[in-house]
Amino acid sequence: MAVKNSTSAHAKRSRKKAAASSSLIPKFMKNPKTTMALALFIIDSLLVSFIIAYVPYTKIDWDAYMSQVSGFLGGERDYKNLKGDTGPLVYPAGFLYVYSAIQYVTGGQVFPAQILFGILYIINLGIVLLIYVKTDVLPWWALILLCLSKRVHSIFVLRLFNDCTMVILSVAFSPSKKEKKRSGSNFASFFMCSAAVSIKMNVLLYAPSLFILMLKAMSISGVISALAGAALVQIVLGLPFLLSFPIEYISRAFNLGRIFIHFWSVNFKFVPEPIFVSKEFALSLLIAHLVLLVLFAHYKWCKHEGGLFKFLRSRISFCSITSCSAWPKTLKKEHIVTTMFVGNFIGIICARSLHYQFYSWYFYSLPHLLWITAFPTLLRVLIFVGVELCWNVFPSNLYSSLLLLCLHLLIVCGLWYSMAENP
């Protein structure tokens, strides 16, 4: 009798385990977006391995990076003396620390570096897929668009550009699961954005939209603390250079007036070179950038607060430095991601020159931007494919750059007239 009872109990436990395991499968399969993301993650990991193994590496900036790092490790602190075969160092101090670590890990050799950058690509893809799964914008089948870019694969594992450090920004964007940790997450995200700026300044394109979100989600004292912390990050990272050659460091690492070579421009190749390099052209793009930011901030990002200027006035009048805990509110993930992506995209459109590696600055945001417009699905896909084709024309020409600008402007129009607001 005891044997029979024992057998019966064992059978019940087995049935419970089987039921539990079988219930997990339908639950997992009920979310096709998660299933698709996992499949893409695995397939793209294999693809990256294949590219590293069989596609020849393209020499562009890697040797210059290693030369600049070697000068730094050799004790040079004067930025004007840190040079490579493609020119002087133009990135902040964080770049030197990151690439010093990369040189230590890889020995400065290309193949180990390709493996490391392949891992960075997969980590970045995983975080981006997580963001898309957590935000209910993209249909499950459209996730495949995130893995279809020939140019982005090349940027990571065949050319080893420092733009790949955008993975830090992806981590900062990753959604927080617990609301009680949201305040700490806000600070951590801002510090990570500052760290990303110390590697490459294009991250500053996110600054206006990030500032608006901070004012919405944090107290004034919190915003000031975050800004001070971000400034402190830059000071600490740049301290060895600021103490020795401060003018050389600031003027070269944070040079906002650099003139890029017309030949490498992907977005404004159709503009005659004399105009392209002129201060008037740069000023007109800056004005366009500021106008677009103000318009989107006023009519889209702060729409439910009565517009940008009313929002700013209310924050200044309502909150003091010591007492403003009643204002901050929890923002929807979709609103955060949309505001950041749109703010960055506005900066991309108004950039005087986009080089091929700069595609990684906004490629992963394109599906999100397209799917929050009211465009029909076929048009969304065609725009995405058109942008990708423009970035794969080498060298860029009048037609490819003009088409790219038109596609960018079409996306902006779609965002303006049909972008959903999710505060």
Side-chain angles (χ1 to χ4, degrees):
M1 187 71 176
V3 174
K4 184 176 180 181
N5 290 337
S6 175
T7 304
S8 176
H10 178 73
K12 287 181 179 180
R13 286 195 297 270
S14 300
R15 284 195 297 271
K16 285 182 179 179
K17 288 181 180 179
S21 61
S22 63
S23 64
L24 287 176
I25 297 175
K27 185 177 180 180
F28 179 76
M29 296 302 291
K30 281 179 182 177
N31 187 351
K33 190 178 287 188
T34 304
T35 308
M36 185 67 167
L38 181 60
L40 290 173
F41 183 83
I42 295 172
I43 293 171
D44 212 357
S45 299
L46 296 174
L47 177 60
V48 167
S49 301
F50 177 85
I51 292 172
I52 293 173
Y54 296 104
V55 181
Y57 155 77
T58 305
K59 177 183 175 180
I60 299 183
D61 281 347
W62 173 256
D63 290 344
Y65 294 164
M66 292 299 99
S67 297
Q68 293 159 355
V69 164
S70 297
F72 165 66
L73 295 177
E76 182 61 67
R77 296 296 179 266
D78 188 346
Y79 247 59
K80 71 175 182 292
N81 294 329
L82 292 174
K83 301 177 181 179
D85 55 9
T86 59
L89 177 60
V90 293
Y91 309 119
F95 163 84
L96 288 172
Y97 302 137
V98 169
Y99 271 81
S100 294
I102 292 175
Q103 187 187 69
Y104 177 79
V105 171
T106 64
Q109 301 300 309
V110 170
F111 185 69
Q114 285 185 278
I115 296 174
L116 177 60
F117 274 75
I119 294 172
L120 283 176
Y121 172 88
I122 294 303
I123 292 173
N124 185 67
L125 176 65
I127 297 170
V128 170
L129 287 170
L130 175 64
I131 292 173
Y132 274 97
V133 169
K134 293 291 184 179
T135 53
D136 190 22
V137 173
L138 212 62
W140 66 269
W141 60 267
L143 291 175
I144 194 173
L145 298 175
L146 299 168
C147 303
L148 292 182
S149 176
K150 174 185 175 183
R151 179 61 64 185
V152 172
H153 282 92
S154 173
I155 289 169
F156 271 84
V157 297
L158 296 181
R159 288 164 173 81
L160 312 178
F161 285 119
N162 65 332
D163 304 82
C164 303
T165 50
M166 289 291 287
V167 66
I168 298 176
L169 202 61
S170 298
V171 174
F173 282 174
S174 58
S176 174
K177 290 184 179 180
K178 297 183 179 180
E179 297 298 331
K180 63 181 180 180
K181 294 184 178 180
R182 183 60 59 89
S183 177
S185 176
N186 289 334
F187 280 100
S189 297
F190 202 74
F191 291 151
M192 293 185 76
C193 288
S194 181
V197 169
S198 76
I199 300 171
K200 194 155 189 176
M201 284 201 304
N202 67 284
V203 180
L204 287 175
L205 295 178
Y206 289 96
S209 48
L210 177 59
F211 183 66
I212 294 294
L213 292 173
M214 287 172 59
L215 287 174
K216 286 187 176 187
M218 300 169 65
S219 65
I220 291 294
S221 59
V223 173
I224 293 175
S225 299
L227 291 173
L232 183 62
V233 169
Q234 297 301 322
I235 293 172
V236 170
L237 292 175
L239 201 59
F241 308 96
L242 292 171
L243 291 176
S244 49
F245 298 93
I247 296 176
E248 288 79 1
Y249 175 67
I250 295 173
S251 63
R252 292 177 181 270
F254 299 96
N255 182 7
L256 298 177
R258 288 172 59 200
I259 299 177
F260 293 97
I261 300 173
H262 182 257
F263 174 81
W264 293 109
S265 177
V266 179
N267 57 331
F268 284 120
K269 194 65 171 291
F270 65 90
V271 176
E273 186 170 2
I275 298 176
F276 177 84
V277 300
S278 67
K279 291 183 179 180
E280 292 78 10
F281 184 60
L283 181 61
S284 64
L285 289 174
L286 176 61
I287 294 173
H289 187 186
L290 294 176
V291 169
L292 283 173
L293 284 175
V294 170
L295 288 175
F296 270 87
H298 185 72
Y299 292 103
K300 300 295 180 180
W301 304 337
C302 300
K303 177 181 178 181
H304 290 263
E305 290 80 12
L308 174 63
F309 305 107
K310 184 177 180 180
F311 170 63
L312 294 176
R313 284 196 302 269
S314 62
R315 288 297 272 137
I316 294 172
S317 61
F318 177 79
C319 294
S320 66
I321 298 296
T322 57
S323 177
C324 51
S325 58
W327 180 279
K329 61 181 181 179
T330 300
L331 304 176
K332 292 182 180 179
K333 295 186 289 288
E334 289 80 4
H335 177 65
I336 295 173
V337 174
T338 296
T339 303
M340 294 292 281
F341 280 174
V342 173
N344 177 65
F345 186 66
I346 290 172
I348 292 292
I349 293 174
C350 300
R352 176 157 55 165
S353 182
L354 295 177
H355 290 186
Y356 286 97
Q357 63 268 33
F358 299 174
Y359 189 29
S360 62
W361 295 2
Y362 76 109
F363 164 75
Y364 288 110
S365 68
L366 277 176
H368 183 96
L369 295 174
L370 288 168
W371 257 262
I372 60 175
T373 68
F375 293 152
T377 299
L378 179 60
L379 180 58
R380 292 166 176 162
V381 173
L382 288 176
I383 292 174
F384 182 88
V385 172
V387 171
E388 174 69 18
L389 290 176
C390 290
W391 280 97
N392 281 281
V393 174
F394 180 82
S396 60
N397 54 52
L398 183 151
Y399 304 105
S400 64
S401 61
L402 187 58
L403 176 60
L404 181 62
L405 178 62
C406 290
L407 292 174
H408 283 170
L409 293 176
L410 181 60
I411 295 173
V412 168
C413 290
L415 293 171
W416 178 259
Y417 286 108
S418 56
M419 189 176 77
E421 181 64 24
N422 298 297

